[in-house]
Amino acid sequence: MAKLALGVLVSGSGTNLQAILDAIQDGSLDAMIRLVVSNKADAYALTRAERAGVQTKTIPHKSFDSREAFDQAVVDSLRDAGVDWIVLAGFMRLITPVFLRAFPWRVINIHPALLPAFPGVRAAEQAVAYGVKISGCTVHLVDEGTDTGPIIAQRTVIVHEGDSADTLQARIHEQEHQILVEVLRWIASDRVTVQAGDGDQRARVKVRE
Ligand code: GRF
């Protein structure tokens, strides 16, 4: 089987990108990152990629008239780089059907909450404000909604008395780094498949043992 070729989309600090780079470097993940794309030129994630010798590209969303035109530019770059799967690792843009049609069921996202609770931005803040006792993180396939796609894996994180959004987010982050790499190992060994929805049942992910 060919080595899993990844494209990683980022907007920020890139600790999840770092977790993937580290796992590839230490041989625990059999994959390569062909391209890291950021919509922000100052994303620290770009520095992490460059340090690891990975090709990067900044595509500022503000230079495009529509989300679709921006997505088409990102898709073109990812196709040129020859990627098979895309990881949204702190990518702060909603993606459109233009993107999803180019890589059907081949885009994953990491979200800092136990979906379907607390989708969207500032999930840890939402969890603390709500007063939940357990939160966590979710890796899911991306569909046309916001954080609504079929779930691949989740990890729980206990919410402590006195947690702030920042302290909770920090513990969630640690779990994110592990679960994201674990899911990529499953994908690299071709264990992740999608089962079509049926009636009331949504499309769902099967992970082969
Ligand atoms: C993570 O919490 C991820 O769940 C969310 O954005 C954050 C990115 O963090 N989608 P980092 O840039 O990987 O450190």
Side-chain angles (χ1 to χ4, degrees), residues 145-166:
T146 302
D147 302 322
T148 53
I151 291 170
I152 308 175
Q154 294 182 299
R155 283 273 179 94
T156 56
V157 172
I158 303 288
V159 182
H160 296 161
E161 283 295 325
D163 251 337
S164 65
D166 286 348

Side-chain angles (χ1 to χ4, degrees), residues 17-189:
L17 168 67
Q18 189 68 55
I20 303 170
L21 290 167
D22 292 349
I24 291 173
Q25 174 69 31
D26 72 19
S28 64
L29 172 62
D30 190 21
M32 68 180 102
I33 300 180
R34 286 254 173 91
L35 182 65
V36 171
V37 176
S38 174
N39 61 314
K40 294 195 166 178
D42 61 354
Y44 187 65
L46 292 169
T47 306
R48 296 178 189 272
E50 281 153 16
R51 248 194 234 146
V54 169
Q55 195 194 333
T56 64
K57 188 161 189 176
T58 300
I59 306 181
H61 60 276
K62 289 185 179 149
S63 316
F64 295 85
D65 289 341
S66 66
R67 286 184 188 277
E68 287 76 13
F70 169 69
D71 275 7
Q72 190 60 57
V74 176
V75 163
D76 291 346
S77 296
L78 293 166
R79 281 209 169 122
D80 287 350
V83 313
D84 304 319
W85 281 76
I86 322 295
V87 183
L88 307 184
F91 183 61
M92 301 307 285
R93 303 294 302 165
L94 295 177
I95 67 173
T96 68
V98 166
F99 201 115
L100 296 172
R101 277 198 298 267
F103 297 101
W105 292 139
R106 278 173 175 251
V107 185
I108 66 169
N109 180 47
I110 174 93
H111 182 76
L114 288 181
L115 293 170
F118 312 129
V121 293
R122 293 189 287 279
E125 196 178 310
Q126 294 183 55
V128 169
Y130 196 96
V132 292
K133 305 296 186 192
I134 298 174
S135 191
C137 49
T138 304
V139 178
H140 64 94
L141 288 172
V142 177
D143 67 6
E144 293 180 16
T146 302
D147 302 322
T148 53
I151 291 170
I152 308 175
Q154 294 182 299
R155 283 273 179 94
T156 56
V157 172
I158 303 288
V159 182
H160 296 161
E161 283 295 325
D163 251 337
S164 65
D166 286 348
T167 57
L168 176 60
Q169 174 68 36
R171 293 201 309 288
I172 291 174
H173 241 135
E174 287 171 20
Q175 297 303 315
E176 286 187 334
H177 301 156
Q178 295 178 27
I179 197 181
L180 180 57
V181 169
E182 184 66 13
V183 165
L184 288 171
R185 285 191 195 107
W186 298 343
I187 291 172
S189 51

